[in-house]
Structure formats: C-alpha cells, structure tokens
Amino acid sequence: MPISAQRVILPAQTGRALHLNTGEVLRIIAVEAQQVADLALFRWDDLRDGFSPGRTIDYNERITVKRGDVLYSAESVALAEIVEDDVGVHDMLLAPCSEAMFERRGEPAHPSCHANIASAVREFGIEPPRVTATLNVFMDVRVSPGGALTIHPPRSQSGDAFAIRACCELLAALTACSSELTNNGRCKRIAFEHTVAERDRG
Amino acid sequence: MPISAQRVILPAQTGRALHLNTGEVLRIIAVEAQQVADLALFRWDDLRDGFSPGRTIDYNERITVKRGDVLYSAESVALAEIVEDDVGVHDMLLAPCSEAMFERRGEPAHPSCHANIASAVREFGIEPPRVTATLNVFMDVRVSPGGALTIHPPRSQSGDAFAIRACCELLAALTACSSELTNNGRCKRIAFEHTVAERDRG
C-alpha cells in the first residue's frame, strides 16, 4: 500500500532538493494555473551523472515526453518514468533560466531556476556548473517547421499534476520557475508530494 | 595575416582533443561525403563548463545553428562563433553516441563518439560522465510537427566545410562519428584544420 504523502508548497521563485528511493513517486502539482516547475535529477550512486535531454530525446525518438516515457541520464541510466501527466506539454530543449540569462535581458540579480537548483544541491557536492539541464514541467515551448522556437504560457490549470517514479535512487531538485516571461507574467508557487511506492508493485 | 593550417586526418571512429586560443579557427572538412563529426567544447579557464545545447537553443531561439550563430556554455559564456558552413544542417538535440547506446541496440563494445571524446579529454581532468553534449556537425536530424525525431544521412559532400572561431580559450574535442546508422551505412574519416586567427581582426 502506498503511504500517503504530505503536500509541500514551494513558494514562488524557490527550490528544494529531495532524495528519492527506487520506486518512490514525486508528484508536482499546479497549485495555480500557468506555472512551470523545473526538475533536475541526479543519480544518487554517482552524482556526476544526471538527467540528459539529449539521451532522453534519442531513446524516446521524440523531443517531447509523455506518460510512460523514461527519463535517461547522460550515462544511459533509466532515472525515472513518467507515471502521471494531466497536461502533456513540457520542455526539455531549454536550459533552466539562470542569473546570467536574466542579466543578458537587462535584469541583473534576478532569481532563477539555475540558482535555486544549484543552491539546493550544493550540500551534496554538486557545483553550480554541473546544473546544466532540467525537465521543464508544464513549459510550453513550440518549434516551427524551420526550427525557430517560441515560448507560450503553460497550459496547466489549477490542480493539474505531473509525476515521476524513480527507476533508481535519485537526488531530485525542484523549483517554481522564476521567469515572469515563461509563466504568463507572474511567478507563482507550486506544490509537490513525495510518495513511497507500493512495496509489491512490479 | 592568418597562418595557414595543416590539414589533419582523423581516421574513421577516432577522436582528438585540441586547445584553441581566443580567435583561432577550427575548420572541419568532409573528406568523404555523408560523415558526421561530433564536436565537444569546454572552457579552458573552467573545464567544468562546456557547450550547452539548451543555452544555445535559448539564446539563438532556434533548435538549429547557422553561420554567424554563437555556441554557448551552460554558464552562458560565448564559446565560439560559426564562421563557415557549407552544409547548413547540423544537430544539437542528440547526445553523442556512446558505448551504452550501442549496447542497447545489441552491439556491445562498439566504438563511440562519447568514448572517443571522453578518452581525448581525460588527460585534462574531464571525467567520462562530464561528456554530455556535442554539436553534431553535418548530422541531419528532423523533427516532425508532433515532435517525433528521425535521423537522415548527412547532406555533406566531399570538400564541404564547417568552421568555428573561438570566442574564448577552449578545449575542443572532435571525433569522426562512430555510428554506421548515422553515416549512411559506413563510418568514414574526417579532416580538420586549426588556423591561428588574423591578429588585427576585430
């Protein structure tokens, strides 16, 4: 039987790291509509290795992800499976927003997903330059036939959820995306639940 | 005045690392048609930071690259500018082919771009799990409107070139792609030229 998980609120523009055992579920909930949550994943048994969009795109043969898909590490290790997805539109083409990115836009010292994740995983020995790629949950990035890329407001509605089940022991880091532009003008909170898996599940 | 560069042949399924000073040009030449060359870039002043497809896609607002585009690092540093491009079709969505990738296909112990690059940069202190992303020069990867991805034979003809000019001091690693599937059935050699930039160039 699953142990019911407590819902934790992540205030706007903040992040959190958490440890997941194999089989455990991390569920991200859109408390308010139109808010992106950036998710970083690292292998607990070798924190140098983590989520790789390039490997995930290769093995799924798609630049998008959907329920049932597996997220892979650079070293080709299956990290997590998507087990719930109310929205179906997420991004893994773009790097997490960063202080340097905001500086380029003329907004120095802006909070960022990169800084939030880097700060949350630092105590595990992961240095900021190692935070390179995230799954940008609920982010709507569209690619034109010519390859041009545009960012649209997230399609998530209040209550929508997205969940992964860990395929191996993981360090996850989650942040409520800090970019006003990406989140239809206002950065909002998100919530998550960390559920221990049913022991007898396959 | 530019110092004329010697042409170096990289045999099929091999790689090489080289140091580039700011302003120097690395030119990759298709000795034979339809052969991909994977290119990894690291910042010489902080080898933890290197080429980031996610950052490059973000700043160029395109999943493709063309002449005049800049390749960026995860830390948002401009690494190199594309200064010559006879083909116009390259990939940065896929991670470099790796031993683990071939193993998944039932081809264990197959040579790979990942192993070639990892082996070439190891003496600089970059460990294999740090080789995560490459610009796959001449690789033809197409994305359908629904996001599905297909790999097509490279469009490069014999003599076609692609060159970058270093925006900062770099460690580059180049490999003649080791995947038969990606290179229209046969892995071929590639060539490169490393040219010192004109001193009076802007």
Side-chain angles (χ1 to χ4, degrees):
Chain A
M1 287 289 294
I3 296 166
S4 86
Q6 211 189 335
R7 186 168 290 203
V8 179
I9 296 287
L10 272 186
Q13 300 184 317
T14 67
R16 177 86 69 93
L18 65 162
H19 169 269
L20 297 180
N21 276 311
T22 306
E24 290 184 353
V25 170
L26 173 62
R27 190 164 181 260
I28 301 166
I29 305 112
V31 180
E32 298 181 63
Q34 300 189 314
Q35 174 62 40
V36 168
D38 281 22
L39 175 66
L41 298 173
F42 301 91
R43 269 169 61 202
W44 189 261
D45 69 342
D46 184 352
L47 291 169
R48 298 173 305 173
D49 188 25
F51 173 60
S52 165
R55 206 60 79 191
T56 302
I57 289 170
D58 188 8
Y59 294 159
N60 293 333
E61 299 180 2
R62 231 178 313 106
I63 59 167
T64 54
V65 286
K66 58 181 176 58
R67 194 177 155 165
D69 280 351
V70 170
L71 306 176
Y72 291 91
S73 79
E75 298 281 282
S76 292
V77 174
L79 299 178
E81 183 189 339
I82 298 171
V83 291
E84 183 180 2
D85 184 6
D86 290 333
V87 178
V89 178
H90 316 285
D91 170 67
M92 56 180 164
L93 298 177
L94 295 179
C97 67
S98 67
E99 206 171 301
M101 187 211 83
F102 286 109
E103 219 169 285
R104 285 172 60 97
R105 283 195 201 161
E107 301 176 74
H110 193 288
S112 72
C113 289
H114 180 272
N116 285 338
I117 292 170
S119 155
V121 301
R122 189 132 206 185
E123 66 173 297
F124 301 94
I126 300 172
E127 296 172 298
R130 305 306 191 189
V131 176
T132 59
T134 44
L135 179 67
N136 306 315
V137 176
F138 305 139
M139 186 171 188
D140 186 0
V141 172
R142 301 184 201 168
V143 178
S144 79
L149 183 145
T150 46
I151 300 174
H152 298 260
R155 299 192 213 170
S156 50
Q157 295 305 309
S158 176
D160 281 344
F162 173 90
I164 56 164
R165 186 169 55 217
C167 300
C168 61
E169 207 174 345
L170 292 174
L171 176 67
L174 185 66
T175 169
C177 176
S178 298
S179 170
E180 289 80 3
L181 210 63
T182 298
N183 297 293
N184 206 16
R186 187 170 62 87
C187 294
K188 299 164 282 287
R189 67 205 158 132
I190 57 164
F192 70 86
E193 295 166 355
H194 173 190
T195 311
V196 173
E198 297 174 58
R199 284 288 164 203
D200 54 355
R201 192 150 189 169
Chain B
M1 288 289 294
I3 295 166
S4 87
Q6 211 187 336
R7 186 169 291 203
V8 179
I9 297 287
L10 272 187
Q13 301 184 315
T14 68
R16 177 84 69 92
L18 65 162
H19 169 267
L20 297 179
N21 275 311
T22 305
E24 289 183 354
V25 171
L26 172 63
R27 191 164 181 259
I28 301 165
I29 306 112
V31 181
E32 298 180 65
Q34 301 189 313
Q35 173 62 40
V36 168
D38 281 23
L39 175 67
L41 298 173
F42 301 91
R43 271 169 59 200
W44 188 261
D45 70 342
D46 184 353
L47 291 169
R48 297 173 307 173
D49 188 25
F51 173 61
S52 165
R55 207 59 80 191
T56 301
I57 288 170
D58 188 9
Y59 294 159
N60 295 332
E61 298 179 3
R62 231 177 312 108
I63 59 167
T64 54
V65 287
K66 59 182 176 58
R67 194 177 155 166
D69 279 351
V70 170
L71 307 176
Y72 291 91
S73 78
E75 298 281 281
S76 293
V77 174
L79 299 177
E81 184 189 338
I82 298 171
V83 291
E84 184 180 1
D85 183 5
D86 290 333
V87 178
V89 179
H90 317 285
D91 169 68
M92 55 179 165
L93 297 178
L94 296 179
C97 66
S98 68
E99 207 171 300
M101 186 210 82
F102 285 109
E103 220 168 284
R104 284 172 61 95
R105 283 194 200 161
E107 301 177 72
H110 192 289
S112 72
C113 289
H114 181 272
N116 286 338
I117 292 170
S119 155
V121 300
R122 190 130 206 187
E123 67 174 296
F124 301 93
I126 300 171
E127 297 171 298
R130 304 307 189 188
V131 176
T132 58
T134 45
L135 179 67
N136 307 316
V137 176
F138 304 139
M139 187 169 187
D140 186 0
V141 172
R142 301 183 202 170
V143 179
S144 80
L149 183 145
T150 46
I151 301 174
H152 298 261
R155 300 193 212 170
S156 49
Q157 295 305 310
S158 176
D160 281 345
F162 173 90
I164 57 163
R165 186 168 54 217
C167 300
C168 61
E169 207 174 346
L170 292 174
L171 176 66
L174 186 65
T175 170
C177 175
S178 298
S179 169
E180 290 79 4
L181 209 64
T182 298
N183 297 294
N184 206 16
R186 188 170 62 86
C187 293
K188 300 164 281 287
R189 66 204 160 132
I190 57 163
F192 71 85
E193 294 167 355
H194 175 189
T195 310
V196 173
E198 297 175 58
R199 284 288 165 203
D200 54 355
R201 194 151 186 168

